[in-house]
Amino acid sequence: MHQLRLCLLLFISTIVSLQAQQPKTYNSSEIYEAVQKLNVLGSVLYIAAHPDDENTRLISYMSNEVKARTAYLSLTRGDGGQNLIGPEIRELLGVIRTQELLAARRTDGGEQRFTRANDFGYSKHPDETLEIWNKDDVLADVVWAIRTFKPDVIINRFDHRRAGETHGHHTASAMLSLEAFDITNDASEYPLQLEFTETWQPKRLFYNTSWWRYGSQEEFDKLDKSNMLTFDVGRYYASKGKSNNEIAALASSQHLSQGFGRLSDRGSQNEYIEFLKGESLNTSANIFEGIDTSWNRVAGGKAIGNILKSVETNFNFRNPSAHLPQLLEAYKLLQSIKDKHWRTVKTKELKAIIEACAGLYLEVSANTPSAAPSSDVKLTMEVLNRSSSNINLVSYNLSTLGTGITKNMSLAPNQKLNFEDGISIPNNSTYTAPYWLNTKSTLGMYNVKDQNLIGLPETPRAVFVDFNLLIEGTPITITKPVVYRYSKPDKGELYRPFEIIPIVSASLSHKVYIFENDGQKDIEVTVKAGKDAITGFVQMAYPDGWQVFPQKQKIEIANKGDIQNVIFTVIPPKTQNEGSITPMVNIDGEFYTDEIIEIDYTHIPFQTVLMPSESKVVRLNIEKRGNNIGYIEGAGDVVPESLRQIGYDVTIIKPEQITPENLDDFDAIVMGIRAYNIVDDLVFKQRFLLDYVKDGGNLIIQYNTSRGIKVNNLAPYDLQLSRDRVTDENALVRILEPNHPILNFPNKIGLQDFEGWVQERGLYFPNKWSKEFTPLLASNDSGENSKEGALLVAKYGKGNYIYTGLSFFREFPAGVPGAYRLFANLLSAGKQESTTQKN
Ligand SMILES: [Zn+2]
């Protein structure tokens, strides 16, 4: 029973993965390739840490050349990365990168798996990584991935022997893979998993090495490669009109949020894998050496193999439906083999081939993209047989109903049938949002309790239809998830997954509200109806010491999809304080506290994410001098909005507007993150910025990466950036110049201002500077020497030049009080004298 449920889940999730924007259909070449793949019973699991770590050249080669069932196990969903295509960070970025991986796998033919490990940001050492992750849980998930996918061969992207030389997540992924290899076949390890699956021993384990592991091609050429296998991953596939490396480039170009869009590659190229563990190889270049990857591998498989090999050898490209009798014969034999694993895997493949050969078109579309429990939805079913085969639609089952709907209709060639059916979404339906975000995660781990969900890329679709068919007399059930199909005049036909959403959701306009004094603020709550005729009220949950008026506000929304905005007045406490507020919508006695976030990009399917609606409120003790701030944008950050929240007037200065006259008006100019890495105009404009300082201005430069600085004169004095960073957000900060004005005016900065920081202290600190600079702070990760370049100040002419690698851009959106207070001091630099005179 449990096994059945698992198979069903895996099965459904794969169908959904195939459904990008449009359902996948196969041409003759693709059917032929699917038949070739059907005849290979071998599998490869590629393991690394992040979305975009995977070597798509090798994954594509294993999938398209070797024809192995190939999967990529990414331990994390990449929440800790940057987002180059939009504002989503953290969990929402993890959702985007999950979908980018699925898009990459649709391109290179692989499958996708995950663990519950959370990408918490950069980690210098695997020891730290494994401490922040729950090592035992992540190891359990790697074991689970191996026991359920059952790979013959595992290939690690990273070298387990290089702790401390690369991202700790990378090395940890390789270390966990090695550890798992030794225990997956031991029933005493993680025995609870064996309620749902069986033990498994992969045959061998490799490391996907490369010349860059050895510093240079020359060094690599000199190596003894007797324990390595090599593959030409530049193979040309005539049936696709593409070479393997071209496919690989298309796949890795799906990682658009990481700026991976790139040119394709062609021509012969070698990849190397180094043997690490398992049964040693003779000299053959076959990773499956010693494993029978033909149908003879499974008991009862020989007869199936004979039929399917003949289909492959005599494949009819003009009319693939001619093979239906043989395919159906193989299908019947396959249902009776004892090996559950291969039966499940190959049945899914074979069904897709049968469906494609018959030119079957089966689709269920809803009249709405989403619906709440207990609401009614109209479904349109399209059923079409585009072959001359004898096919009957016996019945169909809606997943929301216990019983099927009998049809007993013959599907005449190319005569489309349309049915309409109304369904009521069951009251107890679970929402379709990403399952790993259902409950709060920790810094290191997602919290998923259901063993059968662990590792799945997506939440299995809740509403689907089983079409029960008789194809040439053989009963076959084909399952389709409900989709929403629509068109736009300027875009054409579009698809979205059909979602089950709460009857009501609420969101706050900001993630953080900063109160720079004890004045009250009005906060807007947007309530959105997930069904028609919503009436109820909304109230706020808020921390002790704060006050919110009024207590309750009435909600009345007539139509699904409409919103109602209500305003609450929030009064902060008299002293520094922080907490969180949550709008709670009460409908018929039940509270709803989630917000719905929609993610819409063209390279991935439309995503609907549900997250607890919660914002941070912070009462700051903060003093400010100067009000008029100019901001020159870099790679994108929310620093301008954050400064506006504490009352500054922030003007965005476009590169072409950087002129002496324009700069003159500002109390301070702030450079956005990585501005000197990406803004070409700064080559010509930097002198105006330095002149602005000389004339008494105050220039604050946030972090830039050490490589690819566009200007030669980053600072008025010698200043060299490095890769020094402090990744521990709690690392002790030592104040080097306690009497320096920047640390005393107008706010007295102390160690308490470095409490509650998130993700890291800072990055790309300068490591060399001329004597004009004063370093104000020192910090370091454990086991490293002191880094003193986090905050450097120099007088230049009448003004102040300030360079800081501190991660203000991360701390502001997290509402970290000390970060605001310190930044207010940076903006106030040099204002002390004038204030004193005024007083
Ligand atoms: Zn990585």
Side-chain angles (χ1 to χ4, degrees):
M1 178 59 203
H2 285 307
Q3 183 62 36
L4 183 75
R5 223 175 89 215
L6 171 66
C7 294
L8 193 67
L9 279 175
L10 292 175
F11 179 58
I12 294 164
S13 71
T14 323
I15 292 174
V16 173
S17 311
L18 284 173
Q19 170 221 317
Q21 271 79 342
Q22 286 187 331
K24 166 83 181 151
T25 55
Y26 294 78
N27 61 33
S28 282
S29 291
E30 288 166 329
I31 299 174
Y32 173 65
E33 287 166 0
V35 171
Q36 289 182 305
K37 210 161 170 165
L38 184 63
N39 283 329
V40 176
L41 284 77
S43 50
V44 176
L45 183 65
Y46 197 87
I47 298 183
H50 306 118
D52 79 15
D53 284 345
E54 82 276 23
N55 180 349
T56 51
R57 287 187 302 272
L58 199 53
I59 290 176
S60 176
Y61 182 87
M62 290 301 158
S63 174
N64 295 301
E65 172 66 22
V66 180
K67 309 279 181 205
R69 183 172 177 243
T70 308
Y72 171 39
L73 173 63
S74 174
L75 298 196
T76 76
R77 296 176 188 265
D79 301 27
Q82 310 243 358
N83 182 359
L84 275 85
I85 57 172
E88 298 86 359
I89 55 166
R90 299 298 319 161
E91 292 92 340
L92 298 178
L93 179 61
V95 172
I96 291 174
R97 297 185 71 184
T98 295
Q99 290 299 327
E100 290 182 337
L101 277 177
L102 289 170
R105 296 296 82 76
R106 281 192 289 274
T107 309
D108 62 29
E111 297 177 30
Q112 189 58 48
R113 295 285 187 277
F114 291 94
T115 74
R116 287 169 291 174
N118 199 338
D119 176 9
F120 56 82
Y122 193 81
S123 174
K124 287 179 179 167
H125 200 280
D127 290 351
E128 181 207 53
T129 301
L130 293 171
E131 212 171 282
I132 295 177
W133 288 347
N134 182 335
K135 188 207 159 184
D136 194 56
D137 284 348
V138 184
L139 179 61
D141 291 359
V142 176
V143 168
W144 171 249
I146 294 170
R147 282 174 174 174
T148 50
F149 187 77
K150 304 198 192 312
D152 297 309
V153 167
I154 294 175
I155 303 174
N156 291 347
R157 162 82 284 197
F158 297 105
D159 193 336
H160 60 287
R161 298 155 294 200
R162 303 193 73 191
E165 293 175 48
T166 172
H167 199 323
H169 297 178
H170 291 166
T171 316
S173 74
M175 291 163 66
L176 290 170
S177 168
L178 256 86
E179 207 170 317
F181 187 88
D182 291 336
I183 61 173
T184 49
N185 207 26
D186 182 347
S188 70
E189 298 282 357
Y190 306 109
L192 294 181
Q193 292 181 2
L194 301 174
E195 277 182 43
F196 310 102
T197 189
E198 310 80 34
T199 56
W200 179 254
Q201 181 56 57
K203 191 87 156 180
R204 41 186 80 95
L205 174 65
F206 296 92
Y207 156 53
N208 182 192
T209 190
S210 161
W211 64 264
W212 44 257
R213 159 75 177 79
Y214 298 90
S216 71
Q217 185 68 50
E218 219 176 16
E219 287 301 309
F220 187 64
D221 289 344
K222 278 190 266 174
L223 276 186
D224 168 21
K225 299 193 186 61
S226 54
N227 64 338
M228 290 186 196
L229 295 184
T230 181
F231 313 100
D232 179 2
V233 294
R235 290 295 296 270
Y236 176 66
Y237 306 131
S239 61
K240 295 178 190 292
K242 282 194 172 64
S243 0
N244 189 73
N245 32 13
E246 283 182 291
I247 295 168
L250 286 171
S252 74
S253 284
Q254 302 301 315
H255 296 299
L256 293 180
S257 70
Q258 306 307 299
F260 267 46
R262 63 177 174 102
L263 288 172
S264 58
D265 238 344
R266 280 164 290 277
S268 186
Q269 269 183 334
N270 283 316
E271 275 294 332
Y272 293 85
I273 58 175
E274 177 191 344
F275 175 79
L276 294 179
K277 243 179 203 287
E279 205 169 284
S280 61
L281 284 156
N282 292 322
T283 49
S284 95
N286 176 11
I287 54 166
F288 294 128
E289 191 183 272
I291 305 167
D292 187 347
T293 58
S294 77
W295 277 98
N296 295 336
R297 178 173 193 164
V298 292
K302 193 173 182 350
I304 301 170
N306 286 340
I307 298 169
L308 294 176
K309 205 70 206 173
S310 146
V311 173
E312 182 180 337
T313 311
N314 306 301
F315 191 74
N316 186 336
F317 285 86
R318 285 167 182 262
N319 178 22
S321 71
H323 297 297
L324 278 171
Q326 291 162 287
L327 294 170
L328 291 163
E329 187 57 32
Y331 177 84
K332 277 185 276 189
L333 291 173
L334 179 55
Q335 299 322 298
S336 59
I337 68 166
K338 287 214 169 61
D339 187 319
K340 259 187 303 193
H341 173 68
W342 284 115
R343 189 173 69 227
T344 310
V345 169
K346 290 297 172 186
T347 295
K348 191 187 83 188
E349 292 179 23
L350 184 50
K351 268 193 192 180
I353 291 168
I354 291 170
E355 187 184 348
C357 284
L360 266 171
Y361 195 88
L362 302 168
E363 184 175 274
V364 193
S365 55
N367 63 337
T368 169
S370 63
S374 83
S375 47
D376 297 327
V377 177
K378 200 171 82 184
L379 299 181
T380 303
M381 272 152 277
E382 182 176 337
V383 180
L384 176 59
N385 165 22
R386 290 176 289 184
S387 71
S388 55
S389 310
N390 187 7
I391 304 180
N392 282 284
L393 174 64
V394 180
S395 64
Y396 60 79
N397 297 59
L398 294 160
S399 60
T400 54
L401 294 177
T403 54
I405 293 156
T406 306
K407 287 289 174 191
N408 284 326
M409 296 174 85
S410 164
L411 303 181
N414 216 21
Q415 299 301 306
K416 183 171 76 171
L417 293 179
N418 275 332
F419 309 114
E420 288 195 345
D421 224 316
I423 57 165
S424 182
I425 304 296
N427 221 344
N428 58 355
S429 291
T430 47
Y431 306 131
T432 48
Y435 67 87
W436 61 95
L437 301 177
N438 281 349
T439 48
K440 225 176 162 66
S441 52
T442 63
L443 176 65
M445 295 298 292
Y446 282 119
N447 184 10
V448 182
K449 289 281 174 282
D450 184 346
Q451 182 65 49
N452 287 315
L453 286 175
I454 290 173
L456 293 185
E458 297 180 290
T459 307
R461 305 314 300 183
V463 189
F464 51 90
V465 173
D466 288 335
F467 291 94
N468 303 311
L469 304 162
L470 266 184
I471 305 180
E472 298 291 351
T474 305
I476 289 189
T477 297
I478 294 176
T479 304
K480 296 287 173 187
V482 176
V483 295
Y484 174 60
R485 183 169 76 123
Y486 62 112
S487 68
K488 278 189 178 175
D490 57 340
K491 295 213 166 65
E493 184 180 64
L494 296 165
Y495 280 82
R496 273 172 63 168
F498 173 73
E499 309 285 2
I500 298 181
I501 57 168
I503 59 170
V504 69
S505 57
S507 59
L508 293 151
S509 48
H510 290 93
K511 278 285 135 201
V512 179
Y513 294 93
I514 307 283
F515 294 74
E516 80 270 24
N517 52 41
D518 56 11
Q520 64 188 42
K521 277 193 180 186
D522 284 347
I523 286 180
E524 188 176 59
V525 177
T526 301
V527 180
K528 189 173 183 183
K531 62 182 285 191
D532 291 344
I534 291 290
T535 55
F537 63 87
V538 57
Q539 67 189 72
M540 284 284 218
Y542 54 90
D544 286 346
W546 295 70
Q547 295 174 70
V548 175
F549 296 102
Q551 275 292 286
K552 289 179 182 179
Q553 306 225 48
K554 196 170 169 9
I555 294 297
E556 199 162 0
I557 306 177
N559 298 312
K560 177 187 164 193
D562 281 356
I563 58 167
Q564 183 180 339
N565 291 324
V566 293
I567 303 281
F568 285 94
T569 300
V570 177
I571 304 171
K574 297 278 174 219
T575 53
Q576 189 148 316
N577 188 295
E578 56 188 286
S580 61
I581 53 172
T582 294
M584 303 166 66
V585 187
N586 189 305
I587 307 290
D588 297 332
E590 198 147 327
F591 279 107
Y592 297 85
T593 56
D594 281 340
E595 79 174 301
I596 293 180
I597 301 129
E598 295 183 333
I599 301 176
D600 191 8
Y601 292 104
T602 51
H603 67 307
I604 57 173
F606 193 97
Q607 295 297 300
T608 304
V609 183
L610 272 183
M611 304 250 302
S613 182
E614 187 181 271
S615 294
K616 194 170 173 185
V617 285
V618 181
R619 164 72 167 95
L620 278 182
N621 270 337
I622 192 167
E623 292 285 331
K624 307 186 311 258
R625 296 294 184 277
N627 185 48
N628 226 354
I629 310 297
Y631 203 85
I632 297 169
E633 288 177 312
D637 54 62
V638 296
V639 172
E641 288 105 285
S642 303
L643 295 179
R644 285 183 192 121
Q645 278 231 19
I646 55 170
Y648 283 105
D649 226 327
V650 183
T651 307
I652 303 293
I653 307 171
K654 297 251 184 300
E656 62 273 17
Q657 297 167 334
I658 306 175
T659 62
E661 308 74 56
N662 283 344
L663 300 182
D664 236 17
D665 298 342
F666 294 106
D667 291 309
I669 306 276
V670 181
M671 306 299 289
I673 59 168
R674 301 206 306 278
Y676 289 98
N677 295 123
I678 62 169
V679 181
D680 290 318
D681 289 46
L682 289 176
V683 177
F684 312 106
K685 303 289 189 175
Q686 176 70 350
R687 61 194 172 100
F688 298 139
L689 290 163
L690 295 181
D691 284 349
Y692 160 79
V693 179
K694 205 174 177 181
D695 294 343
N698 182 13
L699 179 65
I700 298 155
I701 299 177
Q702 300 182 81
Y703 98 91
N704 291 273
T705 59
S706 50
R707 250 188 249 172
I709 294 284
K710 295 195 183 270
V711 299
N712 299 321
N713 53 340
L714 181 63
Y717 312 110
D718 190 33
L719 178 71
Q720 288 187 28
L721 304 186
S722 75
R723 297 178 64 84
D724 284 356
R725 61 204 294 170
V726 178
T727 59
D728 179 358
E729 66 274 24
N730 298 313
L732 185 72
V733 174
R734 294 173 297 280
I735 294 178
L736 300 173
E737 298 286 339
N739 298 321
H740 196 281
I742 293 263
L743 297 176
N744 289 281
F745 177 81
N747 302 292
K748 170 86 188 142
I749 299 298
L751 291 182
Q752 74 283 353
D753 290 302
F754 295 97
E755 285 170 10
W757 283 47
V758 297
Q759 189 148 341
E760 63 194 355
R761 288 291 185 205
L763 64 174
Y764 292 102
F765 297 158
N767 64 349
K768 269 189 200 152
W769 49 84
S770 65
K771 59 176 186 347
E772 286 84 356
F773 281 103
T774 308
L776 300 182
L777 305 171
S779 185
N780 56 270
D781 283 323
S782 78
E784 297 194 347
N785 56 10
S786 180
K787 309 278 188 286
E788 304 191 345
L791 178 56
L792 297 166
V793 189
K795 269 272 173 213
Y796 178 56
K798 290 184 253 169
N800 288 283
Y801 175 98
I802 302 175
Y803 193 97
T804 180
L806 290 172
S807 294
F808 291 103
F809 70 104
R810 291 197 199 282
E811 311 312 318
F812 287 165
V816 176
Y820 281 95
R821 284 163 45 84
L822 177 56
F823 209 84
N825 281 17
L826 304 186
L827 295 172
S828 309
K831 304 268 186 241
Q832 195 167 21
E833 298 85 347
S834 55
T835 316
T836 319
Q837 277 163 14
K838 267 184 219 160
N839 291 345

